[in-house]
Amino acid sequence: MDIRLIPTANPKEKPKDENNLSFGKVFTDYMFMVEYTEGIGWHDARIQPYGPLSIDPASPVLHYSQEIFEGLKAYRRADGGLQMFRPLENAKRMNDSADRMCMPPLDPEFQVEAMCRLVKLEQDWVPHQPGTSLYLRPTMIADGAELGVHPAHHFLYFIICSPSGSYYKNGMAPVKIHIEDRYVRAVKGGTGAAKTGGNYSASLKAAFEAEKQGYDQVLWLDGRENKYVEEVGAMNMVFVLDGKLVTAPTGGSILPGITRKSVLQLAQDMGIAVEERPIAVEELFQAHQDGRLTEAFGTGTAAVISPVGLLEYHGRTMELAEGKIGPIAQKLYDTLVGIQRGDLPDPYGWVLPLT
Ligand SMILES: *Cc1c(COP(=O)(O)O)cnc(C)c1O
């Protein structure tokens, strides 16, 4: 499929201060767009000026949350060139989410081609400072006028881009996490493994209440027994237990993170044992008491690795790594960020150079 370019008449001014970029507030000049019509398939791929969408108020996305998305970054190397990190994995996961939400798949190679074309066109928007990047948000929605609750007949897939600042502007401050057992994020058989909008709106209330109590994030438990730790808002959780990396299995209720997968691979290759298994909250408290739980961190595209300084459950707390980033988290962070930004060699073929 050809991708046509509709030029913009009004290029925007780029952010002047790269040290003060926030997340997801400024968008570039262009967006990618392609449409799906039942009986025809995907058609009309184009890169067009960034701007509001006009969709029918009866669109299924507005009533039944038929929506999926992805999140990934383009990085500027020290030599000024650009590269992306495992974009094909995001494209494939988009299709897995599409399948769960009765939406049509889009050829993963074509998705990556669209990302590359868009980033190359917008290359002057990719910031230079360490820790900064151009964030890409591929999204698919069901539009078209149809209030019946059944799979839709028309869809839009689009990609928008936002220059984003360093996640760790003030150094790598460990986060405080509340372990949640009143609200549930996902259960087996639900939509927890799909990156779909409804999961996030359903989790806002717990996050908001935890924030009022002074916590940065919520750690969700399994929805069936309220006993096993699953994941954080937009990050998978990894614990260092007896010197091994232990993380919840991707059994349908957690999002299979690409950062998670990459971190587990790096750890194994560093000679650190990895276990994917259910982890009970009580096991964590016991291990902490015995001095066997030494670190915990979240993994996700935004922060790469986010160290946890404190975990709270029913008023009981565990402090970890003396409120600092632990040595294993630091080593994994340095290695992964080094590969992503092209400062370290990439023996895995994870990086896709664009220029
Ligand atoms: C996106 C996301 C992650 C992290 O996935 P990455 O591919 O590592 O960015 C983890 N959990 C949830 C719920 C997410 O939405």
Side-chain angles (χ1 to χ4, degrees):
M1 203 184 336
D2 269 359
I3 302 175
R4 141 176 96 88
L5 174 67
I6 307 172
T8 178
N10 305 299
K12 301 176 206 169
E13 210 169 306
K14 301 188 176 62
K16 286 209 179 62
D17 186 3
E18 283 192 2
N19 294 313
N20 277 313
L21 287 172
S22 52
F23 175 76
K25 297 212 169 105
V26 172
F27 298 92
T28 62
D29 288 319
Y30 288 98
M31 58 187 185
F32 170 82
M33 178 79 69
V34 62
E35 296 180 37
Y36 180 92
T37 308
E38 198 174 61
I40 298 175
W42 290 102
H43 60 93
D44 262 314
R46 70 244 184 208
I47 290 176
Q48 64 186 53
Y50 182 94
L53 302 177
S54 173
I55 61 170
D56 197 287
S59 290
V61 61
L62 300 177
H63 301 270
Y64 313 124
S65 299
Q66 208 180 358
E67 187 266 5
I68 56 173
F69 67 95
E70 272 302 326
L72 70 164
K73 289 171 168 178
Y75 305 88
R76 194 177 288 281
R77 292 190 304 268
D79 68 5
L82 301 179
Q83 58 188 35
M84 296 211 290
F85 182 72
R86 310 188 82 174
L88 193 60
E89 293 285 323
N90 291 90
K92 288 180 182 162
R93 189 170 67 189
M94 186 80 167
N95 283 352
D96 292 341
S97 298
D99 181 60
R100 179 65 183 82
M101 305 307 289
C102 279
M103 301 171 90
L106 176 60
D107 176 22
E109 306 279 350
F110 181 71
Q111 292 187 55
V112 172
E113 187 192 334
M115 293 174 201
C116 294
R117 287 276 295 275
L118 187 59
V119 172
K120 278 191 200 161
L121 181 67
E122 300 283 53
Q123 54 184 286
D124 293 344
W125 285 89
V126 186
H128 299 72
Q129 294 295 322
T132 63
S133 58
L134 186 69
Y135 182 78
L136 271 67
R137 171 55 63 90
T139 307
M140 197 195 297
I141 60 171
D143 68 339
E146 184 118 41
L147 284 184
V149 183
H150 52 71
H153 306 295
H154 194 268
F155 299 86
L156 294 177
Y157 173 108
F158 57 86
I159 307 172
I160 53 176
C161 312
S162 174
S164 71
S166 171
Y167 196 86
Y168 294 112
K169 273 195 201 82
N170 309 309
M172 217 179 200
V175 292
K176 287 185 182 174
I177 288 189
H178 164 69
I179 303 176
E180 177 61 55
D181 72 351
R182 287 171 308 151
Y183 301 108
V184 166
R185 177 186 175 274
V187 287
K188 250 200 173 82
T191 57
K195 232 170 157 73
T196 181
N199 289 344
Y200 303 83
S201 45
S203 69
L204 288 174
K205 194 168 168 67
F208 179 68
E209 289 180 5
E211 205 173 298
K212 276 196 294 194
Q213 304 291 320
Y215 297 101
D216 304 294
Q217 300 265 2
V218 165
L219 172 55
W220 299 100
L221 297 178
D222 74 284
R224 194 174 272 170
E225 294 183 72
N226 256 342
K227 191 171 155 192
Y228 300 99
V229 293
E230 296 223 310
E231 65 174 323
V232 171
M235 287 194 288
N236 297 112
M237 275 296 293
V238 179
F239 300 91
V240 181
L241 243 169
D242 293 320
K244 292 181 252 183
L245 289 199
V246 188
T247 190
T250 52
S253 57
I254 73 169
L255 204 283
I258 296 159
T259 319
R260 172 190 183 277
K261 185 164 145 179
S262 308
V263 160
L264 298 187
Q265 170 92 57
L266 288 176
Q268 264 163 348
D269 295 350
M270 287 171 182
I272 302 168
V274 169
E275 285 178 8
E276 294 179 62
R277 61 168 176 86
I279 312 153
V281 185
E282 287 311 323
E283 178 187 353
L284 291 178
F285 271 99
Q286 189 60 54
H288 182 257
Q289 201 176 2
D290 302 343
R292 295 183 293 112
L293 174 66
T294 46
E295 299 180 37
F297 54 87
T299 66
T301 295
V304 187
I305 281 181
S306 177
V308 174
L310 184 97
L311 284 163
E312 179 271 341
Y313 179 66
H314 284 297
R316 295 150 74 196
T317 56
M318 287 180 254
E319 197 174 309
L320 289 161
E322 295 162 349
K324 301 193 202 85
I325 178 166
I328 293 181
Q330 184 75 59
K331 192 170 170 195
L332 289 167
Y333 176 84
D334 292 342
T335 309
L336 189 48
V337 169
I339 294 173
Q340 288 174 336
R341 309 195 67 85
D343 297 330
L344 290 179
D346 168 26
Y348 303 99
W350 285 343
V351 154
L352 177 66
L354 300 182
T355 58

